[in-house]
Amino acid sequence: MPMIPVAQLYVRDVPLLRPPGQADMLQVLWCPYDHEPFATPATTLFWRCAAAVGDVLAVPPQPYEVNRDGYVPEPCHLAPEAITEYPHSLELGPEMRLMVGDRVDDRDADYPEQFYDGNLANAPGWKVGGWPPWGRTDPAPRHCSVCEVQMVPLLTIATFEWDYGTRGWAPYEDEADAYAAGHRADQNPAQPTKVEVGSGDSMQLYVCPTSPEHPHADRIQ
Ligand SMILES: [Zn+2]
Ligand SMILES: [Zn+2]
């Protein structure tokens, strides 16, 4: 199976990760072909101890064939940042929705939920943890196939770090690019990884909070 590396995260950088045993690193790989049922790459998770990793290849192996260019990530260094986000407006109860409507600035009062979802709720881009980005579907919790506990988001693999409606989330150092009128072809500052899943969507990986041995799940959102 020609797996290729997608993400490598250290617990020291992302304390939100909950590794099993002595592991201190998460590696996410995927098979860069469209798989049933939703025509997505098949992901695999490896929890490892960084100290136990011996020889490291200088260059990741290149697949000899992929279904789409967007399945081969451009190597990137991460600069993880801790942020607070909130559930999508579809997950809020009626009282909470009213509160959001009251609290959102006058100028956005016509569409308070849209403003809330784009600027305060789900942060766009690659992230660990956080809330599911509903909207394409209504909220539908995912349950572990082994123990039936509700699964929690582990990692979001995003096509875009931000878009027009969410560029307020762009990192400070990318702000000028995020608000610029355009960009060079194939140089979208919101797509540093050059990954594309679905049609400019995100793939969110879910894990069972009870046991890392239980199979993970993914969903295009
Ligand atoms: Zn495959
Ligand atoms: Zn489970």
Side-chain angles (χ1 to χ4, degrees):
M1 187 76 91
M3 306 295 282
I4 57 174
V6 174
Q8 174 169 283
L9 304 171
Y10 292 92
V11 175
R12 61 164 193 258
D13 296 327
V14 189
L16 205 61
L17 292 169
R18 289 280 168 267
Q22 300 295 305
D24 57 6
M25 179 215 269
L26 170 66
Q27 293 178 323
V28 180
L29 286 82
W30 69 19
C31 172
Y33 296 93
D34 289 330
H35 294 75
E36 297 290 320
F38 300 114
T40 52
T43 52
T44 311
L45 309 181
F46 294 98
W47 291 100
R48 307 181 72 179
C49 293
V53 177
D55 293 341
V56 176
L57 296 174
V59 181
Q62 289 299 305
Y64 52 85
E65 186 191 19
V66 295
N67 273 155
R68 306 183 203 202
D69 291 346
Y71 291 169
V72 184
E74 184 73 16
C76 292
H77 282 289
L78 302 180
E81 190 182 346
I83 53 148
T84 302
E85 61 166 36
Y86 298 94
H88 192 278
S89 60
L90 290 170
E91 279 196 86
L92 301 178
E95 269 177 45
M96 225 21 166
R97 275 192 215 194
L98 284 176
M99 274 177 65
V100 166
D102 286 346
R103 296 288 286 274
V104 166
D105 201 51
D106 274 348
R107 123 189 94 103
D108 302 295
D110 285 348
Y111 306 101
E113 278 172 16
Q114 201 177 338
F115 180 86
Y116 167 81
D117 285 327
N119 297 278
L120 301 168
N122 292 126
W126 288 59
K127 67 186 173 190
V128 167
W131 294 90
W134 305 116
R136 168 165 286 223
T137 64
D138 281 341
R142 191 93 195 215
H143 297 280
C144 174
S145 59
V146 176
C147 70
E148 292 178 13
V149 161
Q150 185 170 336
M151 300 177 92
V152 294
L154 172 72
L155 175 71
T156 300
I157 296 166
T159 302
F160 298 109
E161 290 298 304
W162 63 80
D163 64 17
Y164 185 80
T166 57
R167 58 188 176 172
W169 285 101
Y172 183 68
E173 59 272 27
D174 293 326
E175 220 168 34
D177 286 337
Y179 284 87
H183 56 79
R184 302 231 310 270
D186 204 34
Q187 298 280 321
N188 186 348
Q191 205 178 11
T193 61
K194 301 246 190 331
V195 163
E196 180 171 8
V197 284
S199 309
D201 299 309
S202 293
M203 175 191 266
Q204 200 161 36
L205 306 185
Y206 290 81
V207 286
C208 173
T210 309
S211 168
E213 316 261 291
H214 295 175
H216 75 286
D218 57 52
R219 181 181 268 169
I220 294 287
Q221 282 163 318

